[in-house]
Amino acid sequence: MSIVLLNKQKTRLHTSRLCANLRKVSHLLGISSREVAFVFCNDVFIRRLHKKYFNDRSVTDVISFGFAENSADPCLGEVIVSVQCARACAPRYGMTFEQELLLYCIHGMLHLVGYDDCTRSGRARMERTQQRILNKIIQGGSVKRRTDRKKLKN
């Protein structure tokens, strides 16, 4: 898998470990021959994109843009990830910052391969799949993200 990382925010990321984990995810999803670009940004940047493309002014954790017209296209798409959101949410869900960030990347990649979380059943399927993938990737084998969603305080 060709991975392009663009860090548009101030937090230093462990890019070599992140790339290695993203390659493992791409293998599990059967897209190891495709290219995916990841943009790591702050809440201001992702809020602007959310408003522009989804007419929603709220901050979100991840946005995916699929570019592939068909399965032969080498570039699958782009995943935009809010590092600021991952840092704020990780302790709330019992995760490390790196685990939460990887979870957002997995979530975005799942959207690129056709998963949808617009319905209750779709969201449940997507959460099960991303949890299963995360557990396969993380050293030690089992990470359980708490699901008691608390409202973020701005």
Side-chain angles (χ1 to χ4, degrees), residues 49-112:
L49 292 178
H50 207 206
K51 170 67 174 127
K52 181 176 181 176
Y53 294 102
F54 300 95
N55 199 29
D56 187 335
R57 295 175 193 248
S58 67
V59 172
T60 190
D61 48 8
V62 61
I63 297 174
S64 296
F65 296 102
F67 299 150
E69 294 290 323
N70 59 57
S71 61
D73 285 345
C75 184
L76 190 57
E78 186 173 71
V79 178
I80 316 297
V81 176
S82 172
V83 173
Q84 198 173 348
C85 190
R87 185 163 304 286
C89 290
R92 292 184 180 133
Y93 297 120
M95 306 276 280
T96 67
F97 164 67
E98 286 185 341
Q99 290 168 344
E100 189 76 4
L101 194 67
L102 180 58
L103 185 76
Y104 292 177
C105 292
I106 293 167
H107 186 89
M109 292 171 80
L110 287 173
H111 277 299
L112 293 179

Side-chain angles (χ1 to χ4, degrees), residues 25 28 95 98-104 106 128-139 141-145:
V25 174
L28 291 170
M95 306 276 280
E98 286 185 341
Q99 290 168 344
E100 189 76 4
L101 194 67
L102 180 58
L103 185 76
Y104 292 177
I106 293 167
R128 282 191 310 271
T129 303
Q130 66 192 28
Q131 185 65 52
R132 189 185 84 252
I133 292 171
L134 184 66
N135 285 339
K136 287 183 178 182
I137 301 299
I138 297 296
Q139 296 296 331
S142 183
V143 175
K144 181 67 176 150
R145 187 175 195 258

